[in-house]
Amino acid sequence: PNKARPTLSDFCMALYTAKHIDKLTMKHVESMAAIGNDAAHAKPDLDKLDVERLLRDVQEFITRYPGA
């Protein structure tokens, strides 16, 4: 991304635009980012299962897209 301080969303869009990930994967990354944001801000409605799923999904993403 050509921004001074790109966000995760900017990186995700760049990967999608460059056809490194498909639209479904892009939406999945956005979902993971939303859960991570809720965790970072200690949102009271955040569920333990969401955090467990986030951890599993991030590990799977890194394995599937090691260069992303």
Side-chain angles (χ1 to χ4, degrees):
N2 296 327
K3 292 172 78 176
R5 297 188 67 192
T7 65
L8 180 59
S9 181
D10 295 325
F11 283 105
C12 190
M13 182 55 72
L15 288 170
Y16 174 70
T17 302
K19 301 190 185 310
H20 290 291
I21 60 174
D22 59 18
K23 188 171 188 172
L24 184 60
T25 302
M26 181 179 71
K27 294 296 183 183
H28 188 210
V29 170
E30 291 172 353
S31 173
M32 290 188 290
I35 295 168
N37 188 56
D38 286 354
H41 295 283
K43 298 283 179 141
D45 59 336
L46 184 64
D47 186 60
K48 178 182 175 184
L49 294 176
D50 290 331
V51 176
E52 290 172 353
R53 185 184 68 192
L54 172 62
L55 178 59
R56 184 184 64 245
D57 289 354
V58 167
Q59 291 170 333
E60 180 183 315
F61 183 86
I62 291 170
T63 300
R64 181 178 283 174
Y65 302 100

